[in-house]
Amino acid sequence: CMKNNIKFNNSNILYTFSNVNGKYIVELTYNFINQYQLQNTSIKISSKSKNAISSIDVRKLNIYSLNKNAQKQIFNLADVDNDYFIKKTGNKNFNKINISKFVKNIHTRKTSNRNELMCQYAYVYDFYIKSNHNNYSLFLAKKLNYSENYIKNLTKELFEKKYLLKNTTGVPGGLFSKKTLKYFNSL
């Protein structure tokens, strides 16, 4: 079961894939950036046999996909066995925001002001961009009942008005800013 792949070590969450490409054990380490977001901070690759690790094989490892699957399993564990997750991490807020409610609010235009819309959109954007939607703006446009151009402009505004802060280049999504976190904490 998924619990076997997830270990807790102080403030870290370790996710282990024990048979990647039939040759490797890959361990991903995660830390909380804030109460709502996890970040992969370390990748450890070990050979299952005593053979040398080949650079060709390492290039074949799809770290993006492994990271996506590991995060999904961590979210699932937080969902399915929340008491255990809180006991192990001390984090009561992780995975507590009702994404469906935010999607519904945005879809039905039920946000009371621009700040609320942007904070909710920041969460929805960050949540779904990790799910590997190649064309996230088209995906979000359909999901939220807006035009693709409007979604692109909303996303641009997330970063320009600092609802999301750009994290590392090449990592999808962003970090929730102080004003976005303040909104989440007020819920």
Side-chain angles (χ1 to χ4, degrees), residues 30-91:
Y30 294 89
N31 302 78
F32 290 105
I33 313 167
N34 54 53
Q35 298 162 296
Y36 305 95
Q37 290 178 297
L38 272 180
Q39 168 174 277
N40 175 231
T41 54
S42 158
I43 299 166
K44 184 177 156 193
I45 302 166
S46 319
S47 176
K48 278 181 68 180
S49 62
K50 299 289 178 233
N51 296 344
I53 294 175
S54 123
S55 60
I56 293 164
D57 283 343
V58 170
R59 280 195 295 264
K60 287 182 193 166
L61 296 178
N62 187 341
I63 300 300
Y64 181 79
S65 163
L66 293 174
N67 181 32
K68 189 180 71 174
N69 290 337
Q71 286 209 35
K72 190 175 168 190
Q73 292 303 317
I74 294 166
F75 269 93
N76 287 346
L77 176 62
D79 223 16
V80 173
D81 197 346
N82 197 249
D83 295 340
Y84 171 77
F85 190 84
I86 291 169
K87 193 176 113 196
K88 290 295 193 180
T89 62
N91 186 338

Side-chain angles (χ1 to χ4, degrees), residues 17 24 34 59 73 92 119 121-123 126 134 153 183:
F17 292 94
Y24 297 106
N34 54 53
R59 280 195 295 264
Q73 292 303 317
K92 292 191 239 359
C119 289
Y121 180 65
Y123 192 86
D126 186 68
N134 297 337
N153 289 333
Y183 171 77

Side-chain angles (χ1 to χ4, degrees), residues 89-101:
T89 62
N91 186 338
K92 292 191 239 359
N93 292 338
F94 183 71
N95 204 25
K96 276 291 174 235
I97 290 178
N98 184 340
I99 185 86
S100 307
K101 186 177 162 209

